[in-house]
Amino acid sequence: MTIKKPDLSGKTVFVTGGSSGLGKELAKAFASQAHDTQTIQACSVDLGNPFLNILPDALYCVAGGCQTQCGFLTDIQPTALESCMNNNYFTAAYSSQIQSSTAAMHRQIVFINSADAFLASKVAVRTLADTLRMEYSIHIAFPANIGTEAFFEEHRNKPQLTKEMEGTAADPVELRKKLPSAKKTANAILDGVATGDFAICDSFETGLLWANMIGPSPKRGSGVIDSIMAILVGLIIWPF
């Protein structure tokens, strides 16, 4: 099935975190669709503070990460916890704090979260997406680990237990061969947005995790897919 990509003519798209990795691949995908009369700009801003004074038609919140805040809770300094929340939650919250507009419901916000959402800040982003569904066209993607430099920088600081939980305890060379590229993940996210999915999961395992933590979020597949997966997770994979 061919998925029709959105027409970006005459529209403004913001991608936060577009300088590298997944954000860069998304930005490149949008740039490839730009018309001759459209401009492409890159700028450096502090996403930890409110900054938007333009109403974009689509906003992709990709900025975030916890490269220097990995570890067990008892070992992490309070300043690192604050930094982690700032890097992940507030960058998304401030970026999406768009001024009131009569066309607000037609504006699109896409949050890029994480399948391995061990962080409270990542859970907060998911809750933000649930809340904003009443105001905007919202999507939230839960990509699994991606073979980017940011991932490997973060991976060096992860506890061994975390690596074993997410299946990344292998040698880094082998991981680079195993993990999907940022471009492949970007295309999967764009396909999910194009089909109107609220929750975008790029693998069966990610779908299982999502099905087990849906809460008040809308279920995929008219409720059938996630209901079946929730039973599978609850009775077979994590019965206790």
Side-chain angles (χ1 to χ4, degrees):
M1 180 179 67
T2 301
I3 298 175
K4 184 179 179 181
K5 295 295 191 296
D7 181 9
L8 300 180
S9 58
K11 295 184 178 180
T12 301
V13 180
F14 284 176
V15 179
T16 68
S19 61
S20 63
L22 179 58
K24 184 176 182 178
E25 291 299 331
L26 285 168
K28 287 166 62 178
F30 292 130
S32 68
Q33 301 177 50
H35 293 249
D36 294 338
T37 57
Q38 289 178 292
T39 59
I40 301 171
Q41 295 180 321
C43 60
S44 177
V45 296
D46 180 6
L47 296 178
N49 292 292
F51 72 95
L52 287 181
N53 54 13
I54 301 174
L55 289 175
D57 296 284
L59 170 65
Y60 281 69
C61 299
V62 190
C66 59
Q67 288 89 339
T68 60
Q69 296 96 14
C70 294
F72 296 109
L73 181 61
T74 54
D75 300 328
I76 300 176
Q77 295 298 316
T79 53
L81 290 174
E82 182 178 352
S83 174
C84 188
M85 184 62 74
N86 193 55
N87 291 343
N88 291 283
Y89 175 72
F90 285 112
T91 57
Y94 289 144
S95 298
S96 58
Q97 196 177 34
I98 302 173
Q99 298 174 357
S100 299
S101 169
T102 55
M105 283 296 294
H106 301 289
R107 299 186 185 280
Q108 186 180 73
I109 302 177
V110 182
F111 295 105
I112 309 301
N113 210 312
S114 171
D116 301 319
F118 302 123
L119 299 174
S121 57
K122 293 291 188 181
V123 177
V125 172
R126 178 268 175 92
T127 304
L128 177 65
D130 276 330
T131 303
L132 291 180
R133 282 198 305 115
M134 295 180 286
E135 302 177 43
Y136 306 101
S137 171
I138 298 292
H139 308 270
I140 182 166
F142 297 92
N145 290 314
I146 310 169
T148 63
E149 292 308 313
F151 165 79
F152 285 102
E153 180 182 350
E154 179 181 301
H155 191 258
R156 286 192 291 270
N157 298 319
K158 288 179 181 177
Q160 182 64 23
L161 177 60
T162 302
K163 296 177 183 179
E164 293 174 359
M165 289 174 62
E166 63 181 17
T168 59
D171 180 80
V173 176
E174 293 300 317
L175 276 180
R176 288 186 183 274
K177 298 177 182 178
K178 173 184 175 182
L179 296 177
S181 66
K183 182 176 181 179
K184 180 179 179 180
T185 302
N187 287 332
I189 291 171
L190 292 175
D191 287 346
V193 171
T195 55
D197 294 338
F198 169 75
I200 302 170
C201 302
D202 64 349
S203 68
F204 179 73
E205 292 79 8
T206 302
L208 286 175
L209 288 170
W210 167 254
N212 198 51
M213 64 173 189
I214 287 177
S217 300
K219 295 182 179 180
R220 299 173 299 162
S222 300
V224 177
I225 294 177
D226 286 325
S227 294
I228 293 174
M229 283 191 166
I231 294 173
L232 179 63
V233 173
L235 296 181
I236 300 176
I237 299 179
W238 292 319
F240 305 107

